[in-house]
Amino acid sequence: GENVEQHPSTLSVQEGDSAVIKCTYSDSASNYFPWYKQELGKGPQLIIDIRSNVGEKKDQRIAVTLNKTAKHFSLHITETQPEDSAVYFCAAPSIGTSYGKLTFGQGTILTVHP
Amino acid sequence: DTAVSQTPKYLVTQMGNDKSIKCEQNLGHDTMYWYKQDSKKFLKIMFSYNNKELIINETVPNRFSPKSPDKAHLNLHINSLELGDSAVYFCASSTGSSQPQHFGDGTRLSIL
């Protein structure tokens, strides 16, 4: 099955700096890579996703890049704000045997200091 | 007009009891999921249903039994609760494989 590794486990930045979180995956057939943000006491919320036919996608201050050859994808947050502080998860699907199964990374606790 | 709603939000109970968590989605999605999030925030899928049929059943003890009365509802019943069952349980839904999943706000289960 799919194995997803996420780094770093914690990330502390100053407001206005950029933050980068990286994930690797094992199933070369994976074709969909979402990123979720989880705030305290809430469920994970999708913030951006990318499909395997593109290398980069941007939405305002967040962007995701995908390198299919190396089997890794990254989340980039620019001009960070205190409200970006949360736990971020990457995920990748298992293709074929487990319909719809998403394997999540271990999570990154992002803290943005004002 | 909450998209995915779970009840209850908190559940505190004794070891050995039986409890249920309910989930409803109003997004018209065909696929629903149950996830367990442990104290280290690790999210792991437990079950998935597509149009009321079980399609994913991870290595979960038989004490956990999901039930989907219709495609908008997926409930989770847990028998003989153990200390290790303490976690946050999330329900989610999507239109299908490799599609965005929408999560509820979780049910925090604490076993005394």
Side-chain angles (χ1 to χ4, degrees):
Chain A
E2 180 72 277
N3 185 41
V4 177
E5 297 284 335
Q6 181 174 344
H7 298 280
S9 54
T10 60
L11 182 56
S12 187
V13 299
Q14 288 296 127
E15 184 176 1
D17 287 350
S18 294
V20 180
I21 303 170
K22 299 182 178 184
C23 286
T24 60
Y25 61 98
S26 60
D27 187 345
S28 56
S30 288
N31 58 2
Y32 172 69
F33 305 93
W35 285 91
Y36 287 84
K37 176 184 181 182
Q38 186 179 18
E39 296 176 334
L40 202 60
K42 299 282 187 184
Q45 273 201 309
L46 181 75
I47 55 171
I48 195 166
D49 55 13
I50 191 168
R51 297 196 181 269
S52 55
N53 57 346
V54 297
E56 183 174 0
K57 184 176 175 181
K58 276 185 91 168
D59 183 4
Q60 300 183 340
R61 295 187 297 107
I62 59 173
V64 56
T65 57
L66 171 64
N67 183 327
K68 282 210 71 181
T69 306
K71 291 191 280 188
H72 66 69
F73 57 113
S74 300
L75 177 71
H76 305 252
I77 307 173
T78 58
E79 299 169 35
T80 53
Q81 300 166 4
E83 50 266 40
D84 294 329
S85 297
V87 183
Y88 290 81
F89 294 95
C90 63
S94 296
I95 302 298
T97 54
S98 297
Y99 181 89
K101 176 182 171 182
L102 274 183
T103 299
F104 283 80
Q106 298 90 332
T108 296
I109 302 172
L110 173 64
T111 305
V112 180
H113 299 281
Chain B
D1 54 340
T2 308
V4 180
S5 58
Q6 299 178 224
T7 53
K9 191 168 174 65
Y10 300 97
L11 193 46
V12 181
T13 190
Q14 304 268 7
M15 216 163 47
N17 284 350
D18 303 339
K19 289 292 176 187
S20 291
I21 307 172
K22 295 187 175 183
C23 179
E24 176 182 4
Q25 54 96 4
N26 62 5
L27 297 166
H29 290 166
D30 289 336
T31 309
M32 294 185 73
Y33 311 83
W34 276 111
Y35 286 87
K36 180 180 180 180
Q37 187 172 48
D38 63 22
S39 57
K40 294 184 179 174
K41 299 287 188 186
F42 188 60
L43 260 175
K44 189 165 166 44
I45 191 162
M46 301 171 69
F47 302 103
S48 176
Y49 272 71
N50 181 257
N51 274 320
K52 302 193 296 173
E53 283 196 37
L54 181 66
I55 53 170
I56 295 174
N57 185 350
E58 291 294 283
T59 311
V60 177
N62 291 339
R63 300 181 294 103
F64 290 78
S65 52
K67 279 201 170 51
S68 183
D70 56 61
K71 73 174 196 177
H73 295 84
L74 180 61
N75 304 322
L76 184 65
H77 188 76
I78 316 169
N79 287 328
S80 305
L81 282 157
E82 299 178 357
L83 288 174
D85 298 332
S86 294
V88 183
Y89 293 85
F90 287 100
C91 176
S93 73
S94 76
T95 56
S97 180
S98 297
Q99 297 299 326
Q101 293 187 15
H102 299 254
F103 284 77
D105 280 338
T107 295
R108 181 173 292 277
L109 175 62
S110 300
I111 310 301
L112 303 177

